[in-house]
Structure formats: C-alpha cells, structure tokens
Amino acid sequence: MNLSQGRPYLAIPGPSAMPDRVLAAMHRPAPNIYEGDLVTLTERVAADLKRVALSTQHVAIYIANGHGLWEAAIANLFSRGDRALSLATGRFGVNWALHAGDMGVEAEMIDFGLKSPVDPARVEAALRADTERRIKVVLLTHVDTATGVKNDVPAVRAAIDAAGHPALLAVDCIASLGCDEFRFDDWGVDIMVAASQKGLMVPPGVGFVWFSERARRATPAPDLRTPYWDWTPRAFPEAFYQYFGGTAPTHHLFGLSESLKMILDEEGLDHVWARHETLARAVWAAFDAWGAGGDITLNIADPAARGHSVTAARIGAGGAGRLRKWCETEAGVTLGIGLGMAEPGTPQEGDFLRVAHMGHVNAHMTLGALAVMETGMRALAIPHGDGALNAATAVCAGR
Ligand SMILES: *Cc1c(COP(=O)(O)O)cnc(C)c1O
C-alpha cells in the first residue's frame, strides 16, 4: 500500500505548479496568426511583461527556455573578445559565464561559492581594477536555483556606480520573477532574462529579455547578434511575425495572457511576493526544527540571502536522496534534486535536495509537502527534530 494516488505535486524549481486556468486557456484550436485577437492579445502580453518586471522600457519575446535566453542576452550584448564579469553563486551563474565563454566572450568570473551571496565590495574592487574599462557587462543571477541564494541586485548596481564603471548590469531572474521582489527600472537593471515555466506559471517554451534604453544604445551592432536572436525587431516589430522571428507561440501566448492576468490584475504583484515569502519562511521554519534533532541543514544560513521560490537543503548520510524517492513513490510529491552541491557520482550527491515553493502554490500545497517530508523521515528512520509542522503552521498562521 502506498499513498501516492491523487493529484501529484511536482515541487521542483521549474516547471512550477501551473494553474488549471492557464492550461485551460491553452486548450483550444489554433488561432489566426495574421490578424485579429492574437495580435491584440500579444500587444497586451508584451505590456504586461513590462508590468511584471516593473519596467517601462523594452522587452523581446523568444521561443526558448532559460538557456536560450542566456544566449539571446549574450548575442545582443557582446562582440567576440569582449569582456564580461560574471558573479557566480551557484550552478546557474557559473553556467551563464561558461555559455558566454563558449560564444567567444572573455568571461571573467568571481565565484562566491555555494553558501553565500555576492559581496558587492569585491565587485566594486574588480571594476576599479579594470582601468581600461574593458568589462562591458556584469552578469548576475538574482536567485540561484541550485544554492537557493538570493543576491542583492541594488547593492550590485551601487557597486558598479561606486566604481564609476560604465558596465551594464544583466540579471538572470529565471527563478525569481513572479516570486521575489524585483524592480527593473528602480534598481537600475539594464538587461534581465526570465522564462515562462517558473514564477510565471506557464509550461516551458517561451522566455523574455527585458532591456533598457541605455543597453540598446550601448550595443548598436555587436558581432554575436545574429538575425534570429536580434532583440530589435522583437521589441519594436513592424509586422506581427517579428515579435517571434517567425510563427507565434500561439498557445503559450494564451497561457501567458491568463497567468499575467492572475498575477497582475487579480492577486497583485505585492501579494504574490508576500505569498512566496510566507511559504518560504514556513519551509525554513520546518527545516530549522528538523535540524535541531538531526543532520539536516539549510544551505544558506542567512534568511535575508535566501530566495523565496526554492529552498536548498542537506540531509546527511544520503537521507535527501532516500527521502526524495519516498516522497515521490509513496506520497505523490516530487522534490528537486540537489544541483551542483556535490561531485556527480559521489555518495555525497544523495545528501542534497531542493523544495520548490514557486508559482501557483498555496498553504495546503507547501504545508502538505512538509507533512509528507516528515512522514518520509519517520518511515525511513531519518533522525530529525520535533515540532517542524508546528513551526511551519505558526508561520502561516502569523504571517
Ligand atoms: C531554471 C533556470 C535556468 C535555466 O532555465 P532552463 O529553462 O532550464 O534552460 C537558468 N537560470 C536560473 C536562475 C534558473 O532557475
């Protein structure tokens, strides 16, 4: 006997939990892609994409996942041999830099390790040391989905400004947009990338590059900018197909229109941020209690440096791997694997997991996932402290 029948819950950091309303909006025949409703809907989606990023500037839409958006940003910003400064706080920051390197960019990396956020003082020092002003762009990950760390975007902007350096600031918000507070204009961000399948609650398949007027002017004709990835026609289309460099991602647009309506016009962005924060704090409270009686720790010690969409944790002696398996097969909850926290193929790999609380999630989903995890710890005799569910419910009750 197991308890996995019923609606499964994929509690991994993308694809996130999607509203049935979004899926239902996609379930329809193909629309006219030349004129009519789809054109109007796309104009509204583009405007709403700016609203969700709190940007009044430009946005380009791509049929791509997050890796495609990294490439889109790189293609529009750099010529071969240009220099980037990449700030790595986990797997995703490292990989964006490697991607840039593979495309011919000289990507200098400052690696802040797996347990702490970017130190703005080191960024300022690196930019001051760049006396020839060769660094064109600083690449930053807002929330690194592997480590769960959240970086302070305004502090990095302030470091660039304090160094008096002209570098543009590019931010990967793939794991944070629609979950954690983010303000494109107010925070002085120049480029930001995000995809459909995380905080925006739509299946994987479309993604976006927001860019400032300053970024547009600073990059008139980089030689990595190929016709398909060029953000110009996508952000300033003269014909409808130019939004997408070809056929529109018709059904994703219907889904996105619905999700943006839910986020912006129904729940409200401030409430969406507050909900993610409360659910995140409930998860952290549970881990703190479990950790008081077992080899269980959150990856990021400082709560202010933790993202609100995903929590990375360690359960020693392979407990994380065993618990993940139990939760999925016995209780219908799939937790995220640890990513980049241990060498692949070593026993330590089984010590790490991630719990997502990202997208269309509410109290019963997150509290339910925590209750399932504790049930699994009991069933597997993984030592853990008491009172985790009490602590989590107290967070949700107290808000
Ligand atoms: C998920 C994610 C990516 C990669 O996105 P894919 O859609 O898997 O290509 C990149 N950066 C961050 C921060 C992410 O969370």
Side-chain angles (χ1 to χ4, degrees), residues 26 36 72 83 166 235 237 249 255 272 277 330 357 359 390:
M26 300 176 77
R83 181 169 283 239
V272 169
E277 178 177 0
E330 302 294 321
H357 24 91
N390 264 340

Side-chain angles (χ1 to χ4, degrees), residues 55-139:
S55 166
T56 55
Q57 305 188 56
H58 315 305
V59 65
I61 303 175
Y62 293 89
I63 298 182
N65 62 15
H67 286 69
L69 302 168
W70 282 345
E71 188 152 336
I74 294 162
N76 279 289
L77 294 170
F78 297 103
S79 292
R80 278 180 197 77
D82 278 350
R83 181 169 283 239
L85 177 64
S86 148
L87 310 178
T89 50
R91 200 62 247 161
F92 289 91
V94 170
N95 283 357
W96 198 7
L98 293 178
H99 214 103
D102 286 349
M103 290 172 73
V105 176
E106 275 182 42
E108 178 189 338
M109 184 158 70
I110 310 182
D111 193 342
F112 295 89
L114 300 176
K115 293 198 156 282
S116 37
V118 164
D119 171 2
R122 284 182 67 190
V123 179
E124 187 182 331
L127 291 171
R128 282 189 191 280
D130 179 33
T131 48
E132 290 171 35
R133 301 295 189 244
R134 283 200 54 214
I135 294 168
K136 267 186 90 175
V137 183
V138 174
L139 302 175

Side-chain angles (χ1 to χ4, degrees), residues 132-220:
E132 290 171 35
R133 301 295 189 244
R134 283 200 54 214
I135 294 168
K136 267 186 90 175
V137 183
V138 174
L139 302 175
L140 173 68
T141 309
H142 187 206
V143 171
D144 196 299
T145 327
T147 54
V149 81
K150 176 164 66 184
N151 287 304
D152 185 341
V153 178
V156 173
R157 171 84 262 166
I160 299 172
D161 295 345
H165 198 291
L168 299 168
L169 175 59
V171 187
D172 173 347
C173 289
I174 296 171
S176 55
L177 190 75
C179 305
D180 281 86
E181 179 178 0
F182 177 83
R183 301 176 182 276
F184 187 93
D185 284 358
D186 289 354
W187 290 359
V189 174
D190 292 299
I191 299 96
M192 188 271 278
V193 298
S196 54
Q197 78 272 21
K198 301 202 183 181
L200 298 182
M201 317 186 295
V202 172
V206 286
F208 322 98
V209 178
W210 289 256
F211 56 102
S212 66
E213 180 58 18
R214 178 169 174 257
R216 190 184 71 80
R217 287 174 191 272
T219 56

